[in-house]
Amino acid sequence: MFISVFKSNQKLVNILTVLFAICLWLPLFWTNNSIAINKYSLFYFISGINNVKFLSFVFAVLLISAQAIYINHIVNHFKIIANNTHLVSLFFVLWCAANSSLLVVTPMIIANSFLLLAVHQLFNMYGAERVYSLAFNSGLLVAIAMLIYLPAVLFLPLLWVVLIYTKTPNWREFVISMVGFAVPVIFYLTYYLITNQLTALLNDTSNNHLIFLTEQLPVSHFGRSFFYACITVGLLAVINLITNIDKNVVKIRKLLLMIMLMILLFGGSLFINSFDYLATYLLVGLPFSILLANYFNQLKRVWFSELIFLGLIVTLILSYFS
C-alpha cells in the first residue's frame, strides 16, 4: 500500500508525507532524549527548542517534511529515478525516525537543510559553462552547515569533485567556492573576536563533536532488527545501482555516482565525531534515501516491495514500545 501510493506523481501525496512524519514522531512525547550541545556551534542558539516537547515536535515534523518534499522535487526534476515518484520523501522521513533516540531536534537535521540546497546547486552545475554563482553558493551553504555541525564540511570535497567530473575544470570556480566558504567563517570568527571569546574558541580542544550520549545502537531486539534490516536493504540498493548504472544515460550515471560519493564522504564523519554512529546515520540519510527509492522503484514485484516496507514499519513501531 505505502509503496504503491508513494509511487504516484500526484502532488497530494506530499500531504501524506507530512502525516507520515507526524505519526513517526509522536513517540517524542513519551521519550526523554538528550544530546550533547557544542556551545560554539550555531545550533547552540536554537537548542533550547528541545526544552519544550510540543515546539520540538512541530519544528522537527515541519522541517523534515519540507526537506523530504524538497529532495523528492530535486530527484524528479533531474530524472535521477526513472519515473516521477514520491518514494524519496517516504524513505527520507522513515530514515530520520529510525530510532527513538533520534526523536529530538539535532544539529544534523538543521545542517541537512543547507546541504540539500548545496546538492541542488551541484546538480545544476552539470553541463553548465560557467558556474561561478553556483560554486560560490555551494561553498557558502557548506560553511553554514559546518558551523552548525562540523562533519558537514566533508561535503566540500564533493563540490570540488563535481567541478572536475561534470564539466571542464576552471581554477576560478575553485577559488570562488573557497571565497563562498570563507564568508560565513569570517563572520563567525569576527563575532567571537568582538565578544572576546575567540581565544576560548580556538583553545576548545575538549569538544569531540559527539551528539548522542546514550547507547549508540538500539538495545531492544526489535530496534536492532530494524537497523539490520535497513543495512541489508541498503546493501541491496547499492548492489542494484552498481549492477544497473550502465543502463542510464551519461548525465544520470554521473549524478548517481555523485550520490554514491556523498555516502562515502559522509560515512567518513565517524572519524570526526568520535564514532557517533547515530549522528553519521542521520548525515547519510540524504543520499541513502535516494538509493532506497531507486531500488524500490525498480522492483518488479510490487507485493514484494510492499512486504519489505511493511516489515520495516512494523519493526520500527515495535522498537518504540520495547
Side-chain angles (χ1 to χ4, degrees), residues 75-307:
V75 170
N76 287 341
H77 177 74
F78 289 97
K79 307 296 181 184
I80 296 176
I81 294 180
N83 304 310
N84 286 350
T85 73
H86 289 82
L87 288 175
V88 179
S89 59
L90 175 69
F91 283 103
F92 184 79
V93 170
L94 178 66
W95 192 276
C96 291
N99 182 270
S100 58
S101 298
L102 301 178
L103 301 182
V104 60
V105 177
T106 62
M108 290 76 69
I109 293 178
I110 311 296
N112 270 343
S113 298
F114 297 95
L115 294 178
L116 258 176
L117 292 169
V119 167
H120 201 174
Q121 301 293 309
L122 261 58
F123 285 178
N124 278 323
M125 290 181 185
Y126 186 88
E129 293 185 7
R130 292 187 177 181
V131 294
Y132 296 153
S133 61
L134 295 175
F136 179 88
N137 293 342
S138 298
L140 181 82
L141 292 165
V142 173
I144 296 174
M146 178 198 70
L147 295 176
I148 296 170
Y149 182 59
L150 181 65
V153 72
L154 292 171
F155 192 94
L156 196 59
L158 178 64
L159 167 58
W160 297 333
V161 170
V162 170
L163 290 174
I164 297 172
Y165 184 59
T166 62
K167 57 189 301 303
T168 303
N170 184 331
W171 67 269
R172 294 182 181 85
E173 294 164 355
F174 289 91
V175 173
I176 290 173
S177 70
M178 288 307 302
V179 171
F181 181 83
V183 170
V185 175
I186 292 172
F187 276 99
Y188 173 80
L189 295 176
T190 302
Y191 167 79
Y192 282 101
L193 176 64
I194 294 174
T195 57
N196 296 318
Q197 300 181 69
L198 184 59
T199 302
L201 170 66
L202 297 178
N203 291 332
D204 181 39
T205 57
S206 61
N207 178 26
N208 57 12
H209 306 288
L210 189 69
I211 300 297
F212 293 96
L213 301 177
T214 55
E215 180 71 27
Q216 286 294 294
L217 291 176
V219 293
S220 70
H221 173 73
F222 288 111
R224 288 186 178 274
S225 297
F226 179 81
F227 268 92
Y228 294 150
C230 281
I231 292 172
T232 302
V233 176
L235 289 175
L236 290 174
V238 171
I239 294 171
N240 174 73
L241 175 63
I242 295 174
T243 305
N244 298 298
I245 195 168
D246 288 336
K247 297 178 181 179
N248 296 286
V249 297
V250 175
K251 178 180 178 179
I252 304 303
R253 192 185 312 161
K254 289 188 175 183
L255 294 181
L256 287 170
L257 288 174
M258 286 165 53
I259 294 168
M260 287 287 292
L261 180 58
M262 199 185 311
I263 293 176
L264 293 176
L265 289 172
F266 285 167
S269 65
L270 284 171
F271 300 100
I272 301 178
N273 61 21
S274 300
F275 289 88
D276 190 340
Y277 296 106
L278 290 179
T280 297
Y281 173 86
L282 280 180
L283 205 57
V284 300
L286 197 159
F288 241 117
S289 59
I290 299 176
L291 292 192
L292 289 173
N294 182 63
Y295 174 64
F296 275 78
N297 187 57
Q298 292 183 4
L299 284 177
K300 301 297 183 183
R301 296 178 177 86
V302 178
W303 66 266
F304 184 61
S305 61
E306 296 281 7
L307 186 63

Side-chain angles (χ1 to χ4, degrees), residues 37-48 148 192:
I37 300 172
N38 176 8
K39 66 178 181 179
Y40 295 114
S41 164
L42 293 183
F43 177 75
Y44 177 78
F45 297 101
I46 64 167
S47 59
I148 296 170
Y192 282 101

